[in-house]
Amino acid sequence: QWKQRRVHGGIRYSVMAFSPISHEVDHDDGVYTGVTKFTNVRILRGGELKKENLYVRDGKIIDPQRRFWEAVENDEVFFDFEVDCGGYILAPGYIDIQINGAFGVDFTSDGENVARDLHKVSKGVLTHGVTAYLPTLVTSTSETYRERLQQLVRQVGSKEYGASVLGVHCEGPFISELKYGAHSVDCIRSPEDGYDSILNCYGSLDNIALVTMAPELPGALDAIAKLHAQGIKIAAGHSMVDIDTACKAVEAGVSLITHLFNAMVPFHHRDPGLVGLLGTNHHQIFYSLIADGIHTHPASIKMAYRAHPAGAVLVTDAISAMGLYPGVYHLGQNSVTIDEYKATVTGTHTLAGSIATMDYCVRKFREFTGCSIPEALAAASYHPAQVLGLQKKKGTLDFGADADLILLNDDLEVLATYIAGELAWSRQHDFTIKN
């Protein structure tokens, strides 16, 4: 149990308890400043869980010392709301940089009401601690990319809207025909004209945050360098690339390996391919992992994490069936069958994304690697924020960062999710997602 209440500072004070969902308060006769104090809590800061209070105003985490002297100078109350967190953990919200859909929504193929679908997913993922994400488009026709990239616009998260949409992850169509996985092989293209091929396929790049491509394709290195110069992040994946070309791709601008071990050349001692980047001097490289216990063996996840712990990024790679019952769904142009545990291309044994949630992946990641709670949380928050260059605003509880927060117990079960410091979901006030 945790409580939220309004506090009037100074010698005189009054307290009014209210539901975590309600923010209606009696302002008393003090000067209202809109400062919320999270107390009786362990906060994730500096890689440790610390027993400290956290203060939020206007959706941002603030410095309490600066706030104290500001309050004294202006004769204001120090804070207006108090959230008793019951001794639980308060951490930055999770950031999922690869999610193909969820709750019946497929970002690639569903184009009838994209704004409604985005809102549905943004609200739904709050229940799993996700406060920001990249809707992901799998390999498709140029027409599909051009249409969806106009529709999947960035959104600032809020209590009403849900999780923030930080841009689109274009996973394809510039991937290897030999490592296409569950993607439509008929839509695969090669960036033979470099950056021009990218523009011709996607049209506007305005809503793109991340592109996954195979670095060995003709023209790929030129495309990577020019996308990087535009501020777009590039990942290597669905690839047959050798280690030497992979290193050149990193020098050109690649900063992430998409779902490590999946859809790439297996590790070989004479040419380790993309996996080998974890053993090079390219310490800035990140690698995403689907830690559902299906896509990658726990021993492989543990090995990768021990080799490069600072680069681990958890993703769900979830498809439209996440949060729904077993059955037949879709991923782009392909039909996908869901059983109790996994998603496969219908009629095959080919894995087709996952149905795992981010909070589940965080718990399994900690189980597989034996890492600490702060390390597991960082892999789903701070590290993905670093990939996107947003580490000063997202994935951290440092002063000035966005107050996108999750309350967790020691089993890393999500109890509540806050967007911009406001309660957006709690387990006490759950809701049903309608299809």
Side-chain angles (χ1 to χ4, degrees):
Q1 300 288 324
W2 66 96
K3 299 177 181 178
Q4 301 187 71
R5 59 185 181 181
R6 182 181 187 298
V7 178
H8 182 83
I11 297 175
R12 297 169 301 158
Y13 67 93
S14 65
V15 176
M16 176 177 148
F18 63 104
S19 162
I21 286 297
S22 172
H23 286 269
E24 296 179 3
V25 296
D26 176 7
H27 296 312
D28 298 321
D29 57 350
V31 179
Y32 175 70
T33 61
V35 175
T36 300
K37 172 187 176 183
F38 292 82
T39 190
N40 187 20
V41 66
R42 290 166 289 158
I43 68 172
L44 178 61
R45 181 173 285 164
E48 300 177 27
L49 293 179
K50 300 179 179 180
K51 291 184 177 180
E52 296 180 5
N53 297 327
L54 188 83
Y55 294 84
V56 173
R57 181 171 64 182
D58 297 330
K60 303 288 184 182
I61 298 167
I62 63 172
D63 182 344
Q65 289 187 335
R66 181 177 295 180
R67 170 63 200 145
F68 174 80
W69 292 112
E70 178 186 70
V72 170
E73 182 178 344
N74 297 320
D75 193 25
E76 297 175 340
V77 296
F78 184 31
F79 60 91
D80 300 272
F81 302 94
E82 183 175 84
V83 182
D84 185 334
C85 296
Y88 290 122
I89 296 166
L90 194 64
Y94 299 144
I95 302 171
D96 194 349
I97 63 172
Q98 186 171 1
I99 175 170
N100 308 290
F103 312 112
V105 173
D106 180 76
F107 292 125
T108 302
S109 63
D110 294 338
E112 184 176 335
N113 194 331
V114 174
R116 177 200 63 195
D117 292 343
L118 269 179
H119 186 206
K120 183 178 184 179
V121 174
S122 290
K123 291 291 285 187
V125 295
L126 296 175
T127 66
H128 302 292
V130 174
T131 56
Y133 67 100
L134 301 184
T136 301
L137 299 176
V138 297
T139 296
S140 304
T141 64
S142 176
E143 290 74 21
T144 297
Y145 280 114
R146 287 171 175 264
E147 184 176 307
R148 294 296 175 274
L149 287 171
Q150 294 297 317
Q151 298 168 321
L152 294 167
V153 297
R154 289 178 168 86
Q155 297 282 348
V156 176
S158 67
K159 176 179 69 173
E160 295 76 19
Y161 185 82
S164 297
V165 178
L166 302 177
V168 176
H169 177 176
C170 290
E171 188 188 12
F174 305 104
I175 62 174
S176 171
E177 293 183 348
L178 299 177
K179 290 293 178 182
Y180 61 90
H183 289 232
S184 175
V185 67
D186 293 336
C187 295
I188 291 175
R189 302 171 66 161
S190 183
E192 294 177 353
D193 296 323
Y195 182 67
D196 289 341
S197 294
I198 306 298
L199 291 177
N200 290 335
C201 178
Y202 296 149
S204 173
L205 306 180
D206 291 347
N207 289 323
I208 298 177
L210 176 65
V211 174
T212 291
M213 68 170 61
E216 73 274 16
L217 298 179
L221 293 180
D222 172 76
I224 289 167
K226 291 178 179 175
L227 284 169
H228 178 68
Q230 296 281 337
I232 294 174
K233 308 305 179 183
I234 308 98
H238 286 274
S239 171
M240 293 288 293
V241 72
D242 59 81
I243 184 64
D244 292 336
T245 305
C247 288
K248 292 177 182 177
V250 173
E251 292 166 3
V254 164
S255 57
L256 174 72
I257 305 170
T258 292
H259 44 52
L260 187 72
F261 300 118
N262 296 114
M264 62 187 61
V265 176
F267 181 87
H268 189 280
H269 60 285
R270 283 193 289 272
D271 187 351
L274 282 175
V275 179
L277 287 176
L278 274 62
T280 68
N281 292 324
H282 297 291
H283 301 301
Q284 74 273 30
I285 196 72
F286 291 88
Y287 56 95
S288 65
L289 291 165
I290 309 169
D292 60 356
I294 295 171
H295 279 77
T296 307
H297 193 278
S300 299
I301 291 177
K302 186 174 185 178
M303 180 183 70
Y305 186 70
R306 286 190 172 184
H308 186 24
V313 174
L314 297 182
V315 297
T316 62
D317 198 19
I319 65 170
S320 61
M322 190 195 90
L324 301 180
Y325 295 105
V328 178
Y329 299 90
H330 52 272
L331 174 62
Q333 298 185 5
N334 286 333
S335 173
V336 175
T337 299
I338 307 299
D339 63 18
E340 187 176 357
Y341 302 106
K342 63 183 179 180
T344 56
V345 176
T346 301
T348 76
H349 296 290
T350 302
L351 291 175
S354 83
I355 52 175
T357 59
M358 183 59 85
D359 54 330
Y360 176 82
C361 288
V362 171
R363 293 191 293 270
K364 299 305 287 186
F365 178 73
R366 183 166 184 248
E367 175 189 330
F368 296 160
T369 63
C371 70
S372 66
I373 287 178
E375 289 169 333
L377 296 175
S381 55
Y382 186 64
H383 295 176
Q386 285 181 298
V387 170
L388 300 175
L390 299 176
Q391 64 270 25
K392 292 185 178 180
K393 293 179 57 180
K394 302 285 187 184
T396 178
L397 299 187
D398 288 347
F399 304 144
D402 295 341
D404 296 341
L405 317 168
I406 52 176
L407 193 69
L408 307 129
N409 60 23
D410 284 60
D411 292 326
L412 301 184
E413 296 171 322
V414 180
L415 305 177
T417 303
Y418 287 79
I419 301 290
E422 293 191 278
L423 185 69
W425 174 84
S426 77
R427 182 179 288 188
Q428 289 182 331
H429 298 266
D430 204 350
F431 59 92
T432 301
I433 298 166
K434 299 179 181 179
N435 294 321

